[in-house]
Amino acid sequence: MAVKIKLKRLGMIRNPQYRIVIADSRTKRDGRAIEEIGLYHPKENPSRIEVDSDRAAYWLGVGAQPTEPVLKLLKLTGDWQKFKGEPAPAPLLVAEPKADRHAVYEAAAKEALSLEAATTPKKSTRKAAPKADEAPKAEEAPKAEEAAAETPAEPTAAAEEKPEGEA
């Protein structure tokens, strides 16, 4: 029986996700597999490639032939070089682990609470915009203060003059 290492397609339209499987060469692309040894998700950034190296080495040693796409994946992960006895390639890029959803929510909630405390309360509309009746009174008040300041100065001078005239 001829055994192949090939990709089994899963996923939806425009979102391919593959399993790296060991299958008989006469089976369909998505048919029955002998064993699943890895994953390949090309749409993720960077692409997600996971291969069980021990099982891949075993099946390559037994004589399973990888298809062209699988051969490229095995070269990227370094399993093909390990099987052939060649030097290993540069390590793959690995996506950063996603943040815990609960921790992200807690951080956002704390930030929202700190923003509410930092904002100033709204001023009432009465104090912000003076009424039309109050505006002239405000202008008259400085004039009245100026007149009051001038009036006491004159009587003091007149009061001082009177005693001099009497004396």
Side-chain angles (χ1 to χ4, degrees):
M1 171 167 83
V3 178
K4 290 265 190 186
I5 304 175
K6 56 187 182 178
L7 294 176
K8 178 179 182 179
R9 185 184 163 124
L10 302 171
M12 300 179 290
I13 297 174
R14 290 183 220 82
N15 186 21
Q17 297 179 356
Y18 299 97
R19 299 269 170 92
I20 302 171
V21 297
I22 311 298
D24 183 9
S25 62
R26 297 170 289 197
T27 61
K28 298 177 184 177
R29 177 191 71 176
D30 300 335
R32 189 172 66 94
I34 298 170
E35 183 179 355
E36 292 182 356
I37 62 168
L39 300 172
Y40 174 50
H41 297 253
K43 289 287 190 167
E44 292 182 14
N45 190 13
S47 296
R48 181 177 172 193
I49 303 170
E50 295 179 12
V51 179
D52 185 0
S53 299
D54 296 335
R55 297 308 296 164
Y58 167 77
W59 284 104
L60 288 170
V62 171
Q65 296 297 312
T67 60
E68 288 181 23
V70 173
L71 181 61
K72 289 183 182 180
L73 292 175
L74 291 176
K75 284 182 179 179
L76 284 173
T77 59
D79 293 321
W80 184 254
Q81 288 86 342
K82 190 184 297 182
F83 173 68
K84 289 292 187 177
E86 298 173 358
L92 289 174
L93 292 175
V94 180
E96 296 178 12
K98 293 183 179 179
D100 181 29
R101 293 175 120 185
H102 184 70
V104 171
Y105 173 77
E106 291 294 328
K110 286 181 183 177
E111 184 178 333
L113 289 175
S114 66
L115 289 177
E116 287 178 8
T119 58
T120 56
K122 292 183 178 180
K123 295 181 180 178
S124 66
T125 56
R126 292 181 184 175
K127 293 180 182 177
K131 294 182 181 179
D133 298 339
E134 293 177 3
K137 291 179 182 176
E139 292 174 4
E140 293 172 4
K143 292 178 183 177
E145 290 176 8
E146 291 174 10
E150 292 174 5
T151 310
E154 292 174 9
T156 8
E160 290 176 7
E161 292 176 10
K162 286 182 183 177
E164 288 176 11
E166 291 178 9

